[in-house]
Amino acid sequence: MSTGEALPRVSVIVPVYNTSEDALQRCHNSLLAQAYPNQEIILVDDGSNPQIAAFLDTLEGPQTQVIHQENGGISSARNTGLAASTGDIVTYVDSDDLLAPCAIEQAVSLFQSGSYDMVIGFAHFSNNLQQDPNEHIEGYSGQLIDVTPDALLSYHLQGSLPGPWLKSGIDNVKVGVLAHFVTRELALRCPFPLGVAVSEDTAWCVRALGSCKNIALVDSCWYFYLQNPLSITHTSRPNCVNDAKAAICAIGKALDEVGKTSSHAADYLVRAFGESNRAARCLATHKAMPLGESMRLVRSIMKDPDARTYIDHCLQVSNGGIKTMLKKILCDTGLSVPVFRLIGKR
């Protein structure tokens, strides 16, 4: 990152789709309240309703640019924001979340202290939709944590892998893109995959971490992740089976592109297991769907030709007990039988 003597410019890209006015205002306020002076905020309206689109226009100002586009999904919105950005450093914030006041300042300080491609902080998970971003969260030392890009890549794929990225309670390094800051060069090399409704940020992380030489993980709370029960992650999605197939393919493709398939085959299989599991949980909420039909749909995820390309390759190069377990449970049944026995009771 070449910044000369001037303060590096930071681009904060916020995709928006029908987020409530109150949540948008609170998110935007948390960005304007940053201690760091040289930032640009790019709000990308991804085809929101007219009321939200008009409200976004009221937020435009000296630091804030608003872009309107037809609905193309969160990946498209983030890519649009990146194309319009001018910053030396790039980060992404969800439109119903908050950034801690110290986040950008601390991230820039880390970039200036070493030759990092990516710097990462922790996220505080909160059920309080009126969360105060100025709240002091206990348990953080502010110190750097020794971790390699490969180790963090395994965590992003598996989601619950023990390590320094997991803290007691409800804080951790958010699996995905949030509280991750990257150089502009790395951001441009890592667009978000289009047509992927869930886990698109995991595919992005695979590509970004697989391309990194040096990362910094700091034990500091930078992000407030507000767990909105109406978000796509927490609601039943009618296209959840196709969403799972798309996610499995996008993550597998990203691993191939960065040459990490062999070294992270077992991690990938665990992730494919997770995507299938999530689809099963989603289908289980559709009470009118017969159990047999739900199981057939989940099995179809692992029989999809495109998904099988990546799964079969990983099964060939993985080893140990996980290979046998996943062949039996994941690839043959898509986890449908054990999942539906546990959560498919109607």
Side-chain angles (χ1 to χ4, degrees):
M1 179 178 61
S2 176
T3 60
E5 295 182 357
L7 286 174
R9 188 165 179 78
V10 177
S11 298
V12 183
I13 298 169
V14 185
V16 180
Y17 180 69
N18 288 338
T19 309
S20 73
E21 293 181 16
D22 178 66
L24 280 171
Q25 186 70 71
R26 288 168 51 75
C27 174
H28 188 243
N29 288 347
S30 79
L31 302 180
L32 291 177
Q34 290 296 301
Y36 189 75
N38 191 14
Q39 67 161 324
E40 61 176 2
I41 303 165
I42 302 176
L43 304 175
V44 183
D45 169 27
D46 188 41
S48 297
N49 64 53
Q51 179 181 341
I52 297 303
F55 179 74
L56 282 169
D57 288 335
T58 69
L59 301 180
E60 195 155 24
Q63 293 187 71
T64 303
Q65 176 184 0
V66 176
I67 300 172
H68 299 280
Q69 68 173 32
E70 293 184 1
N71 180 252
I74 192 170
S75 290
S76 172
R78 285 171 174 157
N79 290 342
T80 294
L82 177 61
S85 69
T86 62
D88 307 290
I89 300 166
V90 176
T91 193
Y92 301 92
V93 173
D94 282 357
S95 58
D96 53 358
D97 291 339
L98 309 171
L99 208 58
C102 64
I104 294 179
E105 184 176 54
Q106 289 185 4
V108 171
S109 178
L110 283 169
F111 276 113
Q112 292 178 318
S113 69
S115 55
Y116 297 117
D117 305 301
M118 176 188 293
V119 299
I120 306 162
F122 280 73
H124 177 72
F125 286 56
S126 175
N127 292 314
N128 178 13
L129 298 184
Q130 300 301 313
Q131 174 69 50
D132 180 0
N134 294 293
E135 179 184 351
H136 175 71
I137 306 299
E138 299 289 343
Y140 288 97
S141 68
Q143 301 299 308
L144 287 179
I145 298 171
D146 186 23
V147 64
T148 65
D150 266 353
L152 203 55
L153 176 53
S154 291
Y155 166 68
H156 275 278
L157 286 170
Q158 294 203 30
S160 59
L161 190 68
W165 37 77
L166 293 179
K167 300 180 78 70
S168 60
I170 57 174
D171 294 5
N172 61 45
V173 171
K174 183 73 174 68
V175 173
V177 68
L178 307 178
H180 290 54
F181 291 73
V182 298
T183 63
R184 180 171 190 79
E185 178 186 5
L186 181 60
L188 292 173
R189 293 207 310 267
C190 301
F192 287 83
L194 298 178
V196 183
V198 296
S199 296
E200 80 294 330
D201 49 357
T202 299
W204 179 90
C205 275
V206 167
R207 190 172 284 110
L209 286 166
S211 303
C212 282
K213 293 182 179 178
N214 296 299
I215 64 172
L217 174 60
V218 62
D219 188 27
S220 184
C221 180
W222 286 357
Y223 197 97
F224 290 88
Y225 179 71
L226 306 188
Q227 301 187 84
N228 187 341
L230 299 180
S231 72
I232 189 170
T233 305
H234 296 97
T235 55
S236 177
R237 306 182 316 279
N239 297 319
C240 58
V241 171
N242 288 333
D243 290 347
K245 292 177 183 178
I248 289 169
C249 291
I251 296 168
K253 181 180 179 181
L255 274 174
D256 277 354
E257 288 179 354
V258 295
K260 296 290 185 179
T261 300
S262 295
S263 58
H264 290 277
D267 297 327
Y268 172 75
L269 292 171
V270 170
R271 185 55 184 237
F273 165 97
E275 295 298 339
S276 175
N277 192 347
R278 174 156 56 180
R281 294 198 309 270
C282 178
L283 288 174
T285 66
H286 291 271
K287 305 299 184 183
M289 180 176 289
L291 180 59
E293 176 66 7
S294 299
M295 292 171 65
R296 185 192 67 77
L297 286 172
V298 175
R299 286 193 188 102
S300 74
I301 296 172
M302 294 305 154
K303 293 180 179 179
D304 178 75
D306 293 331
R308 290 300 305 202
T309 298
Y310 300 107
I311 292 168
D312 288 343
H313 184 198
C314 286
L315 283 171
Q316 290 171 5
V317 299
S318 66
N319 53 51
I322 190 171
K323 178 177 178 180
T324 302
M325 180 272 289
L326 285 170
K327 268 187 174 178
K328 179 176 178 58
I329 297 178
L330 173 64
C331 298
D332 293 340
T333 72
L335 194 64
S336 56
V337 174
V339 166
F340 280 101
R341 280 179 180 167
L342 289 173
I343 64 172
K345 296 178 180 178
R346 306 185 189 281

